Amino acid sequence: MSVTRLKRKHRKNIARANNKQRVIKQLLLTPVLKNVDIEELKARFTTSAATTEANA
């Protein structure tokens, strides 16, 4: 009795595993934002908007 290999299924399984690894690596590449001061960012945008309106 011989063993038959399901070549198409084998390629599909390998591709699926590679895609999962690629997704995990892509997620790990993005830096995590920590300790963001929202009030300071809002103040920065309001001051830059005021200066651009004054210049225009």
Side-chain angles (χ1 to χ4, degrees):
M1 188 167 181
S2 65
V3 176
T4 59
R5 292 186 63 202
L6 301 174
K7 295 179 183 177
R8 193 183 315 142
K9 183 174 181 180
H10 181 66
R11 282 197 313 262
K12 191 165 54 172
N13 287 339
I14 289 176
R16 191 176 293 144
N18 287 340
N19 288 339
K20 285 184 180 181
Q21 283 182 347
R22 191 176 305 123
V23 166
I24 291 172
K25 285 182 181 180
Q26 191 68 32
L27 288 173
L28 290 175
L29 282 177
T30 58
V32 178
L33 296 176
K34 293 182 180 179
N35 300 330
V36 177
D37 188 11
I38 296 173
E39 298 302 322
E40 191 267 333
L41 283 174
K42 287 181 182 177
R44 191 183 304 173
F45 279 111
T46 55
T47 56
S48 66
T51 56
T52 54
E53 289 176 7
N55 291 340

